Amino acid sequence: MSAWTDRILQEFPPDLSRFWVACDPDVVLLDEHVLQSLRDRGFELVSFDDPIVFRSYYEETYRAAWDERRDPASPALILHLSSNESDSLPWDYIRQARIVRLGLADLFDKLSSSVLRQIGPSYYDKLFDAQKAYASQTLGDAATSDFILTHVFKIVPVLIDDEVTFWREILRLHLRGWSLPPVLADRMDAILQSRQTLSDLPIKELVGDRAFALKATQSAWLTYLQSFGVASVASGNQEKGSASSLAIPFDHPDIRMVVDSLFLEGCLEPVPSEAVSGRAPAWVQVGIKKDVQGQAQFIAESATALAEDLPAEGAIHREWLSFAQRMGELLCKFFELPAGLGDDVSPQIESLQQLADDRFHGWLIRHFADLPSLPASKAPAMLHHVPRHLSHRRNGSGVRQALLLFDGLAIDQWCKIRRRLAEKLPTIEIDEGACFAWLPSLTSVSRQTVFSGLRPREFAGTIESTSAEPTLWAKFWQDAGLRKSEIVYLKGVKRREDLSRIADAISGPSIKIAGIVVDMVDEIVHGATLGKRGIASQIDDWCDTGFVEQLMTLLLDRGFEIFLTSDHGNVDATGIGRLSQGVLSEIKGERVRVYRSADLASSVPAELDTFRFDLPGLPVDFLPVYPKGRGAFTGVGDRVVAHGGMSVEELIVPFVRITPKSCSNDE
């Protein structure tokens, strides 16, 4: 246990009370390691986001159990209040609970609280140790920013005095999947703008916006190749403007080493080339698209490298999100290989998938229960955070927002769509991310969390269908202050002929928020006969119709900020045997079966290789049973594409923001 976690736990002696109120305006409790340690000690933390939802859960799960002298779900309950206003709570809570107040000023007495609030709780663990070891006096805002840059991000701005050092640090930062929080990006910009060799660079954007930095690097790479006379078929599409006019010293050994890794891990795309000049050094081949044989070899090597870089057992959730994006990029390339070459590479890909799933399974058992409580303002960790995240972004602005849910879209399939969008709509900016779906990763469970902002236990009455989504979507936004006439929900959107229906629905100037379900990928998946390789080809055909870019153009032209996500991904699975149980199972998925009692769940034949994983966020009478590995409840040996399980590809989905370039960096 870290010193930071231990310091927080000191406030919660296990035997002192069974009901706690944590007044936590700086959300220090919403740290993954803190949440896990609290849960290990018998505490359940529930955020006080909705008083009615909390009251219902408290009465049914805890109050009734205490009154009847039986054990509740956990020995102790923490009501998490993201403010100091405990007086606003109902009287019976205050009377029964022990109140704890937590604040950054008390926990970090040497660092600026205003700066710490802007970087968020995920960095507090490292900072607490660093403060104890290195902070000998109280630091102001600027000194605190420098302290965080040095001890968390391993960047020392005062030592960056030339272009090589600057680009080495920038590329290393983004290779790790990081971007600097705005307060630190501002500090970097303030220091480095005084360097004559760096003063013309868009420093704030390069350190604070990973998508901008990688796009700039991609454009600079194309220019670098052209300096050797390398003829590229992409040169006609080279972008104009600040991001495409930057010169990076790629030939320096420090830069070359990082760039090599960026290509290997899919952060940068090799450039298609018609001819390679003899003047070009041999090492630049890493950034030139290979023939199909070379691409297959590259994919095999990348799969092996990625398998050696799996997140550790104690990883934070962002490490798994980053890993899933890297794996999705690789799988996208793999499914584009011709079938014969794909078969040659399959052993390395399947080894990667198995290793990732095994590590991920162990991590989920330990950490999944903590994900629902993580803060959602900066980025959603889970799908039920999405509407809250959108609402947070709306505060203080009149921006129109559209949430596109591409039902069943895995990250590797998003990578294919993203590539087509980049080709067809060079005037858009795509800010990529990812988040966790809900388990079981079924449409009726996970998709409803997106449109309700609730955990599945909070819509138990409709958990078996999606019919309540329009009502849940409208309720969330009406509770957030919008009128019913300002809210749109549409589903069944698949083809170009559906665009007029969308245009009519959002045409009124009063519309502020639109939720749109795009069903085409899910339809393709459920009709798949050639596995995920066949699905990739069908998605290409769908993109060829122009539907996706026309949908984006329609929304952007009407002033919408677009967010795109999915309710679950999909995997190639192999049958372990059919379950013929009649009505015993409420939900009969190929990757999961759901039962309404422990006795029914135990009726799964012992010869089938299955396991149970019950979550506190599910209704108490909603018990999923999963096949192990990439098994499916189909005929033995049958190959299917399915969803519902716990693999990386099913459970981590894209969460993407799409805007016109002119406002992509506006906050």
Side-chain angles (χ1 to χ4, degrees), residues 1 7 11 33 75-76 93 103 124 354 379 412 429 438 450 475 502 526 595 621 623 638 648 664:
M1 184 186 301
R7 171 65 183 84
E11 303 290 338
H33 297 112
Y93 294 172
Y124 295 163
Q354 181 176 341
D412 56 279
E429 196 74 59
W438 263 90
V450 184
K475 181 182 185 306
I502 298 173
H526 285 290
Y595 301 86
D621 62 345
L623 308 176
D638 289 351
V648 175
S664 63

Side-chain angles (χ1 to χ4, degrees), residues 129 152 276 416 490 559 598:
D129 289 340
V152 174
V276 179
K416 178 174 286 292
L490 290 173

Side-chain angles (χ1 to χ4, degrees), residues 421-631:
L421 284 175
E423 292 172 359
K424 299 292 185 180
L425 297 176
T427 58
I428 66 171
E429 196 74 59
I430 300 175
D431 184 10
E432 292 202 63
C435 66
F436 284 82
W438 263 90
L439 278 171
S441 50
L442 296 166
T443 299
S444 66
V445 178
S446 201
R447 202 172 90 184
Q448 280 195 96
T449 69
V450 184
F451 289 107
S452 66
L454 302 173
R455 307 179 193 205
R457 73 183 180 212
E458 295 160 2
F459 54 81
T462 65
I463 199 169
E464 294 175 20
S465 76
T466 59
S467 60
E469 283 179 354
T471 303
L472 293 169
W473 180 245
K475 181 182 185 306
F476 177 88
W477 287 106
Q478 286 177 284
D479 290 346
L482 297 186
R483 296 187 296 272
K484 190 173 182 180
S485 60
E486 297 173 324
I487 306 161
V488 164
Y489 171 90
L490 290 173
K491 67 177 180 178
V493 174
K494 300 176 184 178
R495 300 175 178 86
R496 290 173 60 186
E497 49 264 36
D498 297 316
L499 294 173
S500 59
R501 183 158 61 97
I502 298 173
D504 290 343
I506 65 172
S507 60
S510 65
I511 301 300
K512 299 290 196 303
I513 186 77
I516 301 171
V517 179
V518 179
D519 297 306
M520 193 65 189
V521 174
D522 194 56
E523 181 177 292
I524 291 172
V525 168
H526 285 290
T529 57
L530 299 176
K532 291 196 66 169
R533 188 176 303 282
I535 290 172
S537 177
Q538 288 179 275
I539 290 176
D540 266 335
D541 294 339
W542 181 50
C543 289
D544 285 340
T545 69
F547 166 81
V548 179
E549 63 259 31
Q550 289 177 33
L551 172 60
M552 303 300 168
T553 300
L554 170 66
L555 293 168
L556 292 173
D557 285 350
R558 283 159 176 76
F560 281 88
E561 178 184 38
I562 299 172
F563 296 86
L564 184 151
T565 191
S566 171
D567 52 346
H568 56 76
N570 48 78
V571 292
D572 286 310
T574 303
I576 65 169
R578 297 185 184 279
L579 281 171
S580 301
Q581 296 177 298
V583 296
L584 294 184
S585 172
E586 294 285 343
I587 296 180
K588 302 176 178 65
E590 292 173 321
R591 290 275 293 150
V592 65
R593 291 295 177 98
V594 176
Y595 301 86
R596 289 299 189 174
S597 74
D599 288 342
L600 292 177
S602 65
S603 68
V604 176
E607 61 268 20
L608 295 184
D609 203 6
T610 63
F611 68 96
R612 285 264 305 277
F613 180 39
D614 302 331
L615 288 168
L618 295 175
V620 293
D621 62 345
F622 195 84
L623 308 176
V625 176
Y626 302 92
K628 287 188 178 177
R630 298 206 168 193

Side-chain angles (χ1 to χ4, degrees), residues 163 166-167 170 198 200-203 205-206 212-224 238-250:
E163 287 185 282
F166 173 77
W167 283 108
I170 295 303
L198 305 176
D200 292 334
L201 294 174
I203 294 169
E205 291 81 1
L206 286 170
F212 178 91
L214 292 178
K215 191 178 291 292
T217 306
Q218 187 79 49
S219 296
W221 178 252
L222 178 56
T223 301
Y224 179 71
Q238 188 172 10
E239 299 171 17
K240 305 298 181 185
S242 61
S244 61
S245 59
L246 303 179
I248 299 176
F250 290 109

